[in-house]
Amino acid sequence: MGADSDEDDFVAYGTPIEREEDTSARKRRAIAEAGQLRALPAWKQEVRDEEGRRRFHGAFTGGFSAGFYNTVGSKEGVKLLMKMGWRQGRSIKDSHADSLYESRRNARKAFLALSGIKNDEDQDKIDSDKPSLDQSVTGSSEEMHASGSIPAYVLHPKQDLHGLGYDPFKHAPEFRDRKRFVKSRDRDHNRNDISARGNLLISNWHYAPGFGIGALEELDVEDEDIYASGFAYELTEVDIEPSKTSDGNYKLDDRKRGIFLSFKIASNSEYKLERYSRNALPLVMPGVGPQSLDTEAVSLGLPITGGVRAYGAPHKLSANVVFCRFPPPDVPADFDGRHKFATPTQPAEKFSDLAPPEVPPPEDSTVRLLIEGCAAMVARGGKHIEDFYKEKSKTNPQFHFLSGGDGCSYYTRKLWENQFRYTGQPRPDAVKSKPSSDKLTAENRGKILGERPLDRSTKPHISLSAKEAVQLQSNLIDTFVKPISLDALPESEKPFSNDPAKQARFEQFLKDKYQGGLRTATATPVSTMSEADRARERLDFEAAAEAIEKGKEKVIKPSSMLSLPGMNEQRFVSATQLESSIVPHDEKPIYPRREPFEWRPAPILCKRFDIVDPFMGKGTKDEEESSSRSMHHGSGAGLMEAEAHGMTNDTDIEPSSVQRPVDLYKSGSANGKELEERSKGQTADSPSSEEELILGEQRTAVDGEFTT
Amino acid sequence: MSSSGAAAAQHLPRKEARELAGHEGAVLAVRFNRDGNYCLSCGKDRTLRLWNPHTGALVKTYKSHAREVRDVHSSSDNAKLVSCGADRQIFYWDVSTGRVIRKFRGHNSEVNSVKFNEYNAVVVSAGYDRTVRAFDCRSQSSDPIQTIDTFQDSVMSVILTKTEIIAGSVDGTVRTFDIRMGRETVDNLGHPVNCISLSNDSNCLLANCLDSTVRLLDKTTGELLQEYKGHACKVTSISYHPTKACMLTSSVDGSVRVWN
């Protein structure tokens, strides 16, 4: 047992552990992370069973509970385990070939277990079925390990119409056995009631998303679906092959799951199915036997998950739903689809010739006000308002004017006036219109509603002058404009009232600037004003227009609706006055006309033209500060030019504005002259240098440029 | 007609000196260069041709346009050409090599007329898309530096002075854009203006209108000075003599007229 003997005695066996230094960093990390799952991507973390089917559908947030349909740990789960394969001490994992069938079988068993069917008969049946199947399976698996002897298609012959590889229940294994349930049920009706009841619960609660109870819970009072209809539902076989159903009167919206809610209509010989519409109401018809259900089934195919057949009374399978169609009601022969008003509407010709004489108002001012108000309302509203008032005021002595008392003539006069104003002049072609509402022209309707019709251009109180074309034009212009507009400026807002010509030009300027529509054929005097004057005037106009706009905003708001109609009238009247003042009686030709507008040249354009940007430093519309760029051209050149041309009128406006921004950039030097001189010296070179450039180019370019 | 005018008229060319044949198809514009030694023609066959009119020789052919070439202008140093056409493009050529230096893009429709400015730094073009666009030759960009879109209809011709851009349009207006004043002056003639020209003293503006009249306008006041009705049909082009007080007009009726 000495040190030496230890070394001699020990023998190495097995693979040695890798030493830290030998492994690279990457390997080490790989080893360390080998068992960790936290870096797995989401798609790797899916739980799949042995066949690769996903378990735990939906938004699984954790809390795995294992087992078939959450049966782990429960009594049923243990039972299942015992039944499925632990009985034989073997693992649940079966041979591959029959595993599909096995799992289906197992699922079916699970349903039965969960449904709580205590029917021993059934259990026995199932059990009796199962052992035989089990034996066949186990037998087969004992004989052959890898593949089953009996192919699946023999055990379960294909009876559906979809393709060979198509598995309709690929994503919905819950429904797989149901189909078989239905099939087996239909084949023999013995188990009708039981399976129905079993499926009742299942269909109600376990396959609608979001519903259901846990594995460890049992159905209780509080789990009842209180909103379920009184009908008991049953699985039906309206499946992926809709052509199976005989009648064509159905609608299949959702083919995904393949099982629909269908209402079967009893095929009673007394009722013809073709006449049934979808809106027909279901009737419960007790006493009709279940046999008739299956013949001539018509399903309406309302897609609700879970296949159901509606029944009349709960748990009464013998009840059937019958659709009945009610005929439309009988219309009386004299029915006319129009409402008859109590009082007839005002016929048009009522006041056509009736112009009550002008009567002085009664002395009492209150009565007068009453009369006027009443007349206005009645004129607007109609005769029934008058009747209404009459009724109301039988006792009130002030309202005697309504029924022939004092002031009655004044009242009638006022009424007529109001009506006249509202409905325009009496029309000569006023056809006798029926009091009933059968023949309602637009005008009558407008009258009834108390509308004011549009003013016609041929108003009698506006004389038709020779310039009516112009007026028409002005009306057209005016109709393009919003009611309270700059069209007719109120007296207070005529900035150039002392100079009517200028004011006229101002109005024209405003029109051109703000309004659409036709342009009147007015000519600005062409040669009376010089360029500069016109430009200055234009600037004045713009300033005035801005001032008016600001003022207008305040004016518009307080104007009440009541005064609006009045204002409209006033507007029309004043517009014509305006037009008459503007319409020229000059003999000058209308063309050519000159109009100045503001135009902003781009700074770089000015630079290329070697011109001072007239808008330099004013903040262009594009918010480009061009001052820096045109500066070195700017002050020197501009001043030079100004001096060269003299301070003429033309450049009157601009150089002054040019100089101002220059001042801004003086950078503290109080001596403007200094700056000018400096920049003059600077920029005096630039134009000349440019000229030199050009000359140089020309000199080099002239010869030999055009040789072939 | 004044005596000086009559005398001037005597010196005007009366007979056809030479025919420059070469274009295949209609010739849309003919322009002299700045000094008058060469002339450029452009036509429907999509080519530009440089001629020496005095010898009648074809100097060079420039082919690059995809559609008919509508106008051409040479720079004052005879080194560059600018041409425009129905393919919406404006080509900036180098004269001696015949290569396209740049293509100015920006017009949405056919370009009717193009001009260099005094310093050959800016190319101004007028197009069917109702715009007048100015392009910068000195920079590398091929986009316009300014677009004028106040016209109501196709702009047919444009001329440049030292401080102004003047353009005539089918909407009946001749608009003067004064760069120095920052103003657009609209002279509404009432008739579609096909072509405009400036007089020598830059005081008068000639505009020929599609009602077969040529109107002489005062540039500063916009007043109509004269109207010339002589052509039976539409006047297509107009040019003012550089030194003498007379002008040339051409028309659809096939004649060229000289006016005093």
Side-chain angles (χ1 to χ4, degrees), chain A residues 229-246:
Chain A
S229 57
F231 298 114
Y233 297 126
E234 197 200 67
L235 279 179
T236 198
E237 203 203 4
V238 181
D239 216 330
I240 327 151
E241 294 85 18
S243 54
K244 266 194 182 169
T245 54
S246 53

PDB file of all heavy atoms in Angstrom, chain A residues 229-246:
ATOM      1  N   SER A 229     -80.715  25.942 -25.515  1.00  0.00           N
ATOM      2  CA  SER A 229     -82.139  25.904 -25.830  1.00  0.00           C
ATOM      3  C   SER A 229     -82.726  24.615 -25.293  1.00  0.00           C
ATOM      4  O   SER A 229     -82.027  23.704 -24.890  1.00  0.00           O
ATOM      5  CB  SER A 229     -82.340  25.986 -27.326  1.00  0.00           C
ATOM      6  OG  SER A 229     -81.655  24.937 -27.946  1.00  0.00           O
ATOM      7  N   GLY A 230     -83.979  24.584 -25.302  1.00  0.00           N
ATOM      8  CA  GLY A 230     -84.643  23.439 -24.718  1.00  0.00           C
ATOM      9  C   GLY A 230     -84.538  22.188 -25.554  1.00  0.00           C
ATOM     10  O   GLY A 230     -84.985  21.131 -25.168  1.00  0.00           O
ATOM     11  N   PHE A 231     -83.961  22.365 -26.707  1.00  0.00           N
ATOM     12  CA  PHE A 231     -83.896  21.196 -27.574  1.00  0.00           C
ATOM     13  C   PHE A 231     -82.757  20.305 -27.167  1.00  0.00           C
ATOM     14  O   PHE A 231     -81.710  20.754 -26.739  1.00  0.00           O
ATOM     15  CB  PHE A 231     -83.681  21.624 -29.022  1.00  0.00           C
ATOM     16  CG  PHE A 231     -84.805  22.469 -29.539  1.00  0.00           C
ATOM     17  CD1 PHE A 231     -84.590  23.786 -29.861  1.00  0.00           C
ATOM     18  CD2 PHE A 231     -86.064  21.940 -29.670  1.00  0.00           C
ATOM     19  CE1 PHE A 231     -85.618  24.561 -30.338  1.00  0.00           C
ATOM     20  CE2 PHE A 231     -87.104  22.709 -30.148  1.00  0.00           C
ATOM     21  CZ  PHE A 231     -86.886  24.020 -30.484  1.00  0.00           C
ATOM     22  N   ALA A 232     -82.980  19.083 -27.317  1.00  0.00           N
ATOM     23  CA  ALA A 232     -81.893  18.125 -27.137  1.00  0.00           C
ATOM     24  C   ALA A 232     -81.260  17.910 -28.481  1.00  0.00           C
ATOM     25  O   ALA A 232     -81.929  17.844 -29.511  1.00  0.00           O
ATOM     26  CB  ALA A 232     -82.447  16.822 -26.593  1.00  0.00           C
ATOM     27  N   TYR A 233     -79.962  17.820 -28.449  1.00  0.00           N
ATOM     28  CA  TYR A 233     -79.282  17.690 -29.731  1.00  0.00           C
ATOM     29  C   TYR A 233     -78.713  16.304 -29.880  1.00  0.00           C
ATOM     30  O   TYR A 233     -78.382  15.625 -28.926  1.00  0.00           O
ATOM     31  CB  TYR A 233     -78.144  18.690 -29.822  1.00  0.00           C
ATOM     32  CG  TYR A 233     -78.644  20.110 -29.783  1.00  0.00           C
ATOM     33  CD1 TYR A 233     -78.151  20.994 -28.861  1.00  0.00           C
ATOM     34  CD2 TYR A 233     -79.638  20.530 -30.639  1.00  0.00           C
ATOM     35  CE1 TYR A 233     -78.603  22.283 -28.817  1.00  0.00           C
ATOM     36  CE2 TYR A 233     -80.106  21.803 -30.588  1.00  0.00           C
ATOM     37  CZ  TYR A 233     -79.590  22.687 -29.677  1.00  0.00           C
ATOM     38  OH  TYR A 233     -80.037  23.952 -29.628  1.00  0.00           O
ATOM     39  N   GLU A 234     -78.596  15.959 -31.061  1.00  0.00           N
ATOM     40  CA  GLU A 234     -78.038  14.651 -31.302  1.00  0.00           C
ATOM     41  C   GLU A 234     -77.092  14.754 -32.475  1.00  0.00           C
ATOM     42  O   GLU A 234     -77.275  15.577 -33.361  1.00  0.00           O
ATOM     43  CB  GLU A 234     -79.165  13.657 -31.601  1.00  0.00           C
ATOM     44  CG  GLU A 234     -78.713  12.222 -31.463  1.00  0.00           C
ATOM     45  CD  GLU A 234     -79.655  11.325 -32.220  1.00  0.00           C
ATOM     46  OE1 GLU A 234     -79.687  11.416 -33.454  1.00  0.00           O
ATOM     47  OE2 GLU A 234     -80.356  10.552 -31.571  1.00  0.00           O
ATOM     48  N   LEU A 235     -76.151  13.885 -32.400  1.00  0.00           N
ATOM     49  CA  LEU A 235     -75.209  13.880 -33.505  1.00  0.00           C
ATOM     50  C   LEU A 235     -75.913  13.470 -34.768  1.00  0.00           C
ATOM     51  O   LEU A 235     -76.770  12.605 -34.775  1.00  0.00           O
ATOM     52  CB  LEU A 235     -74.106  12.861 -33.229  1.00  0.00           C
ATOM     53  CG  LEU A 235     -72.986  13.315 -32.309  1.00  0.00           C
ATOM     54  CD1 LEU A 235     -72.018  12.165 -32.149  1.00  0.00           C
ATOM     55  CD2 LEU A 235     -72.281  14.500 -32.889  1.00  0.00           C
ATOM     56  N   THR A 236     -75.507  14.098 -35.760  1.00  0.00           N
ATOM     57  CA  THR A 236     -76.060  13.677 -37.024  1.00  0.00           C
ATOM     58  C   THR A 236     -74.922  13.478 -37.992  1.00  0.00           C
ATOM     59  O   THR A 236     -73.795  13.908 -37.753  1.00  0.00           O
ATOM     60  CB  THR A 236     -77.063  14.706 -37.554  1.00  0.00           C
ATOM     61  OG1 THR A 236     -77.855  14.074 -38.538  1.00  0.00           O
ATOM     62  CG2 THR A 236     -76.353  15.873 -38.194  1.00  0.00           C
ATOM     63  N   GLU A 237     -75.281  12.887 -39.028  1.00  0.00           N
ATOM     64  CA  GLU A 237     -74.217  12.489 -39.930  1.00  0.00           C
ATOM     65  C   GLU A 237     -74.113  13.398 -41.136  1.00  0.00           C
ATOM     66  O   GLU A 237     -73.772  12.948 -42.221  1.00  0.00           O
ATOM     67  CB  GLU A 237     -74.481  11.038 -40.374  1.00  0.00           C
ATOM     68  CG  GLU A 237     -73.233  10.344 -40.829  1.00  0.00           C
ATOM     69  CD  GLU A 237     -73.593   9.193 -41.751  1.00  0.00           C
ATOM     70  OE1 GLU A 237     -74.783   9.028 -42.062  1.00  0.00           O
ATOM     71  OE2 GLU A 237     -72.678   8.498 -42.153  1.00  0.00           O
ATOM     72  N   VAL A 238     -74.474  14.603 -40.940  1.00  0.00           N
ATOM     73  CA  VAL A 238     -74.261  15.513 -42.069  1.00  0.00           C
ATOM     74  C   VAL A 238     -72.778  15.780 -42.126  1.00  0.00           C
ATOM     75  O   VAL A 238     -72.212  16.446 -41.292  1.00  0.00           O
ATOM     76  CB  VAL A 238     -75.017  16.834 -41.876  1.00  0.00           C
ATOM     77  CG1 VAL A 238     -74.798  17.740 -43.071  1.00  0.00           C
ATOM     78  CG2 VAL A 238     -76.489  16.548 -41.692  1.00  0.00           C
ATOM     79  N   ASP A 239     -72.188  15.235 -43.091  1.00  0.00           N
ATOM     80  CA  ASP A 239     -70.748  15.103 -43.051  1.00  0.00           C
ATOM     81  C   ASP A 239     -70.104  15.818 -44.212  1.00  0.00           C
ATOM     82  O   ASP A 239     -70.697  16.676 -44.842  1.00  0.00           O
ATOM     83  CB  ASP A 239     -70.405  13.621 -43.063  1.00  0.00           C
ATOM     84  CG  ASP A 239     -69.210  13.384 -42.192  1.00  0.00           C
ATOM     85  OD1 ASP A 239     -68.388  14.312 -42.087  1.00  0.00           O
ATOM     86  OD2 ASP A 239     -69.120  12.294 -41.619  1.00  0.00           O
ATOM     87  N   ILE A 240     -68.906  15.414 -44.427  1.00  0.00           N
ATOM     88  CA  ILE A 240     -68.161  16.080 -45.479  1.00  0.00           C
ATOM     89  C   ILE A 240     -68.770  15.847 -46.845  1.00  0.00           C
ATOM     90  O   ILE A 240     -68.549  16.590 -47.759  1.00  0.00           O
ATOM     91  CB  ILE A 240     -66.728  15.533 -45.518  1.00  0.00           C
ATOM     92  CG1 ILE A 240     -66.289  15.172 -44.101  1.00  0.00           C
ATOM     93  CG2 ILE A 240     -65.787  16.559 -46.072  1.00  0.00           C
ATOM     94  CD1 ILE A 240     -65.313  14.087 -44.098  1.00  0.00           C
ATOM     95  N   GLU A 241     -69.506  14.828 -46.939  1.00  0.00           N
ATOM     96  CA  GLU A 241     -70.150  14.562 -48.222  1.00  0.00           C
ATOM     97  C   GLU A 241     -71.579  15.028 -48.170  1.00  0.00           C
ATOM     98  O   GLU A 241     -72.464  14.285 -47.777  1.00  0.00           O
ATOM     99  CB  GLU A 241     -70.133  13.073 -48.557  1.00  0.00           C
ATOM    100  CG  GLU A 241     -68.749  12.546 -48.800  1.00  0.00           C
ATOM    101  CD  GLU A 241     -68.067  12.159 -47.505  1.00  0.00           C
ATOM    102  OE1 GLU A 241     -68.782  11.975 -46.489  1.00  0.00           O
ATOM    103  OE2 GLU A 241     -66.864  12.053 -47.496  1.00  0.00           O
ATOM    104  N   PRO A 242     -71.786  16.230 -48.506  1.00  0.00           N
ATOM    105  CA  PRO A 242     -73.157  16.743 -48.403  1.00  0.00           C
ATOM    106  C   PRO A 242     -74.106  16.132 -49.411  1.00  0.00           C
ATOM    107  O   PRO A 242     -75.309  16.229 -49.283  1.00  0.00           O
ATOM    108  CB  PRO A 242     -72.973  18.239 -48.659  1.00  0.00           C
ATOM    109  CG  PRO A 242     -71.722  18.341 -49.459  1.00  0.00           C
ATOM    110  CD  PRO A 242     -70.847  17.204 -49.024  1.00  0.00           C
ATOM    111  N   SER A 243     -73.569  15.556 -50.384  1.00  0.00           N
ATOM    112  CA  SER A 243     -74.460  15.020 -51.398  1.00  0.00           C
ATOM    113  C   SER A 243     -75.268  13.846 -50.885  1.00  0.00           C
ATOM    114  O   SER A 243     -76.199  13.393 -51.533  1.00  0.00           O
ATOM    115  CB  SER A 243     -73.646  14.576 -52.612  1.00  0.00           C
ATOM    116  OG  SER A 243     -72.633  13.691 -52.177  1.00  0.00           O
ATOM    117  N   LYS A 244     -74.892  13.418 -49.751  1.00  0.00           N
ATOM    118  CA  LYS A 244     -75.634  12.283 -49.212  1.00  0.00           C
ATOM    119  C   LYS A 244     -77.092  12.634 -48.947  1.00  0.00           C
ATOM    120  O   LYS A 244     -77.977  11.853 -49.139  1.00  0.00           O
ATOM    121  CB  LYS A 244     -74.996  11.839 -47.886  1.00  0.00           C
ATOM    122  CG  LYS A 244     -73.998  10.735 -48.044  1.00  0.00           C
ATOM    123  CD  LYS A 244     -73.709  10.158 -46.707  1.00  0.00           C
ATOM    124  CE  LYS A 244     -72.666   9.064 -46.824  1.00  0.00           C
ATOM    125  NZ  LYS A 244     -72.169   8.657 -45.532  1.00  0.00           N
ATOM    126  N   THR A 245     -77.257  13.801 -48.399  1.00  0.00           N
ATOM    127  CA  THR A 245     -78.632  14.192 -48.090  1.00  0.00           C
ATOM    128  C   THR A 245     -79.410  14.381 -49.375  1.00  0.00           C
ATOM    129  O   THR A 245     -78.908  14.922 -50.351  1.00  0.00           O
ATOM    130  CB  THR A 245     -78.665  15.480 -47.281  1.00  0.00           C
ATOM    131  OG1 THR A 245     -77.911  16.456 -48.000  1.00  0.00           O
ATOM    132  CG2 THR A 245     -77.984  15.269 -45.938  1.00  0.00           C
ATOM    133  N   SER A 246     -80.601  13.972 -49.335  1.00  0.00           N
ATOM    134  CA  SER A 246     -81.351  13.856 -50.580  1.00  0.00           C
ATOM    135  C   SER A 246     -81.799  15.198 -51.105  1.00  0.00           C
ATOM    136  O   SER A 246     -81.650  15.512 -52.271  1.00  0.00           O
ATOM    137  CB  SER A 246     -82.559  12.952 -50.363  1.00  0.00           C
ATOM    138  OG  SER A 246     -83.289  13.433 -49.248  1.00  0.00           O
TER     139      SER A 246
END
